[in-house]
Amino acid sequence: MIILDLELKDAPGELIKALTPISKMGINIHSVIHLREKKVDGRIPVRLVVDGLEDKTLNEMIDELEKLDVIITKVNNSIRKRDIDLVVIGHVVDTDIRDTIDRLNKYGLVIDLDLSMPDPFKESSARMKIIVDSEKLNDLYNELDKLSKEKNLLFIKSF
Amino acid sequence: MKVILLGFGIIGKGVINVIRKKKEYLKNKYGMDLKVVAICDRSGAAIDENGLDLELALRVKEETGKISKYPEKGTSLPIVEVIKSIEADALIEATPTNIESGEPAKTYIIEGFKSGKHVITANKGPLALYFNELLSYAKKYDRIFRYEASVGGAMPIINLAKETLAGNEITEIKGILNGTTNYILTKMEREKLDFDTVLKEAQELGIAETNPHQDISGLDTAAKIVILANSIMNMEVTIRGVNIEGITKITPEALSMANKGGYTIKLIGEVGENKLEVGPKLIPLDDPLNVKGSLNVAMLNTDLAKEVIVVGRGAGDVETSSAILSDIINIYLKSKKMG
């Protein structure tokens, strides 16, 4: 048995999108559990239990899912990807928000961005969700520190 | 048991009030006859080796502001001389905190050990700066050193970790260790007010100090994290090694943004492997660390018991004195065993 922890948008069709490639590869799915109580920021953790697979087939399956932007957070409880939520305070737009995102995308993937600018001359706030490979987490944190110093931005992270 | 109280401000008066209130309880439950043989403040001291009249001491302080005006037994003897010359089992050190130098509390604590007294302190300064040095004096003179009140006020954390959770390895501690910042962030979040407005209101209500720098800059939390790191996790760190960010940059918009994502923002102190930091963090709205108002909370991650969480009142005279009283009782019971 292999346990896959996915993170899906809470929207119609998202589960089918994740299950289709698995079923096309002829892999037997034992159970699908929605962990609705753990929903954070519009995303729902879903646990899939599939038949035991050889490493090669498992990796192929993961590749197929990731091509479809399905986020696989854990395989058999070993953490593959983490999602980091951030609130950013400062002159988020004026300090070149595109550059900020590009630099974070070198280590992870910014998948959500929400911006609040109460006054064009005052500091703004933004909310971001970043998906990052667990082995690149420290690199991402280092980049956040650099950006914070260079652009005088405060990044408030989730644990 | 005879004790000397150093410092007769908010905490010192709280200690005296709690001792008065619990006198019979201590006698009945533990057989302890607790006598305060000296009380010191900036003006000097009141000394009576048979035990001071605590009600009178409080009244003298209230009316004159000076304990040295205590009738007949008031004196202008400096604190260090009182520590050296007056016989007592323990010293309760509750003088004002100095987070830069740790003095004069550090000297008082050391003099206490040197003169053969157990020491209880509520003072973060000397603990955050000189923990290991103070501990070495306690060991050298074979005295007990207790400091539960220095972190989290009434919230039991140090003794919980060291005694109740004995046998567990504690790998991480994180939490809200400053009630003022929690009050400010809670109010900003609920009422969509900006930082300066809420701080001003908190100062008017007496929740924030006139000089709130230590609280809002994160320095107070950093001192507490250092105490926890050294005393519970056996580290050898000082406040200079803590990565500190305060809450002054937090805006109501940022709190709304966090709320939209299912989070709140709290000033969190954290100590763990390769981690010693204080800063605002996103906490899920349904997380046990999301406590409101001026409450404190701490989560200890342990190898056997896993996560253990304590919540309590982090400040207040009676609340802090409850932690001091638990230290007094502990010393009494231990020293009875020591003979």
Side-chain angles (χ1 to χ4, degrees):
Chain A
M1 297 284 191
I2 290 175
I3 300 169
L4 293 169
D5 283 302
L6 314 181
E7 219 183 71
L8 302 179
K9 269 189 207 155
D10 189 13
E14 286 294 308
L15 182 62
I16 284 290
K17 188 172 97 177
L19 296 183
T20 307
I22 303 176
S23 123
K24 273 191 183 162
M25 288 175 75
I27 297 164
N28 192 19
I29 299 171
H30 283 265
S31 66
V32 179
I33 307 157
H34 277 82
L35 303 167
R36 283 202 165 266
E37 75 281 4
K38 292 190 177 165
K39 176 178 165 183
V40 174
D41 212 0
R43 305 183 78 86
I44 298 181
V46 171
R47 179 166 291 172
L48 291 185
V49 183
V50 300
D51 263 348
L53 302 171
E54 286 181 11
D55 282 355
K56 186 169 171 277
T57 320
L58 176 65
N59 289 334
E60 278 172 17
M61 182 182 76
I62 290 170
D63 287 347
E64 285 299 315
L65 289 172
E66 289 187 339
K67 268 189 220 160
L68 297 169
D69 291 334
V70 171
I71 297 161
I72 304 166
T73 53
K74 287 184 202 166
V75 175
N76 282 343
N77 280 327
S78 111
I79 298 171
R80 272 176 53 82
K81 287 198 188 288
R82 297 272 307 268
D83 44 311
I84 308 293
D85 287 296
L86 290 176
V87 167
V88 194
I89 304 174
H91 291 286
V92 183
V93 179
D94 294 347
T95 53
D96 195 352
I97 191 164
R98 165 154 287 212
D99 169 71
T100 305
I101 293 171
D102 286 346
R103 283 169 62 180
L104 295 176
N105 280 348
K106 277 195 288 184
Y107 305 101
L109 185 66
V110 177
I111 57 164
D112 275 330
L113 180 69
D114 192 358
L115 199 63
S116 157
M117 291 179 73
D119 181 317
F121 299 105
K122 281 191 179 164
E123 292 192 321
S124 47
S125 327
R127 186 164 59 92
M128 285 181 192
K129 184 186 271 294
I130 307 172
I131 304 290
V132 57
D133 286 346
S134 37
E135 69 264 25
K136 289 191 183 158
L137 191 63
N138 282 336
D139 295 333
L140 179 78
Y141 283 164
N142 288 337
E143 193 62 35
L144 286 171
D145 286 345
K146 272 194 225 160
L147 283 165
S148 169
K149 283 187 191 114
E150 274 173 41
K151 303 189 177 190
N152 196 21
L153 298 172
L154 173 64
F155 291 98
I156 305 173
K157 298 183 267 241
S158 57
F159 285 121
Chain B
M1 177 159 161
K2 290 180 177 180
V3 296
I4 295 173
L5 172 68
L6 308 184
F8 207 21
I10 292 170
I11 303 300
K13 281 189 266 185
V15 170
I16 294 301
N17 273 319
V18 166
I19 291 176
R20 275 177 64 212
K21 200 172 163 188
K22 294 283 179 177
K23 200 164 175 55
E24 285 306 308
Y25 170 89
L26 295 173
K27 204 171 265 175
N28 296 337
K29 181 147 188 182
Y30 301 103
M32 184 194 331
D33 181 17
L34 185 58
K35 283 183 180 145
V36 181
V37 294
I39 299 176
C40 305
D41 69 5
R42 280 201 191 102
S43 72
I47 301 166
D48 185 342
E49 300 202 0
N50 296 315
L52 289 162
D53 177 340
L54 300 181
E55 210 178 320
L56 177 61
L58 284 166
R59 205 164 58 234
V60 167
K61 181 71 181 177
E62 196 62 42
E63 284 167 7
T64 69
K66 292 176 180 173
I67 193 61
S68 57
K69 302 274 187 199
Y70 188 98
E72 292 170 33
K73 286 155 184 165
T75 155
S76 57
L77 202 63
I79 292 184
V80 172
E81 292 310 313
V82 175
I83 301 171
K84 282 181 179 167
S85 60
I86 304 299
E87 202 182 298
D89 300 292
L91 196 67
I92 302 166
E93 194 285 312
T95 62
T97 292
N98 182 328
I99 244 164
E100 268 103 45
S101 71
E103 291 291 7
K106 180 194 172 199
T107 303
Y108 299 155
I109 295 170
I110 293 172
E111 287 302 327
F113 290 133
K114 280 185 177 171
S115 60
K117 296 170 182 72
H118 305 297
V119 177
I120 296 160
T121 184
N123 205 320
K124 292 179 292 288
L127 291 169
L129 294 162
Y130 304 107
F131 182 80
N132 287 306
E133 188 184 339
L134 294 172
L135 203 65
S136 70
Y137 275 100
K139 280 189 185 139
K140 185 175 169 192
Y141 292 95
D142 195 21
R143 296 292 87 185
I144 304 167
F145 188 27
R146 306 279 294 195
Y147 35 84
E148 179 65 60
S150 62
V151 180
M155 180 180 76
I157 177 162
I158 294 170
N159 300 337
L160 170 81
K162 289 171 76 116
E163 287 159 20
T164 316
L165 290 171
N168 277 274
E169 191 190 331
I170 291 163
T171 52
E172 182 191 34
I173 304 171
K174 59 187 173 194
I176 302 171
L177 302 172
N178 180 283
T180 307
T181 55
N182 197 18
Y183 174 86
I184 292 173
L185 292 173
T186 304
K187 189 96 177 169
M188 284 173 72
E189 182 179 38
R190 280 190 186 148
E191 301 186 13
K192 316 273 178 235
L193 293 168
D194 65 49
F195 176 80
D196 291 331
T197 309
V198 177
L199 173 62
K200 204 155 181 274
E201 192 198 84
Q203 284 173 316
E204 279 165 14
L205 289 170
I207 293 167
E209 288 176 39
T210 329
N211 179 359
H213 173 73
Q214 284 190 7
D215 292 326
I216 61 177
S217 68
L219 212 56
D220 175 77
T221 304
K224 291 167 179 168
I225 267 299
V226 164
I227 296 169
L228 297 178
N230 290 338
S231 65
I232 298 177
M233 296 172 72
N234 298 323
M235 292 183 173
E236 285 188 27
V237 293
T238 71
I239 200 160
R240 296 173 196 102
V242 188
N243 212 342
I244 310 175
E245 176 72 50
I247 61 161
T248 51
K249 289 183 187 164
I250 308 292
T251 59
E253 293 78 30
L255 281 155
S256 296
M257 276 282 174
N259 288 166
K260 264 166 87 179
Y263 291 98
T264 184
I265 299 173
K266 297 288 182 194
L267 183 71
I268 301 288
E270 265 185 282
V271 51
E273 199 188 345
N274 304 321
K275 195 173 232 185
L276 191 63
E277 62 182 44
V278 174
K281 286 277 155 68
L282 294 180
I283 303 294
L285 289 169
D286 60 358
D287 194 279
L289 292 184
N290 180 15
V291 299
K292 300 296 186 188
S294 55
L295 283 174
N296 281 24
V297 58
M299 187 176 88
L300 296 96
N301 237 321
T302 74
D303 60 344
L304 305 176
K306 303 293 184 285
E307 297 94 356
V308 175
I309 292 163
V310 272
V311 182
R313 295 190 185 203
D317 54 350
V318 173
E319 292 86 343
T320 304
S321 302
S322 97
I324 292 175
L325 183 68
S326 80
D327 282 344
I328 296 175
I329 294 169
N330 183 281
I331 285 180
Y332 174 74
L333 296 175
K334 271 196 187 144
S335 55
K336 240 176 38 173
K337 273 188 204 158
M338 284 160 84

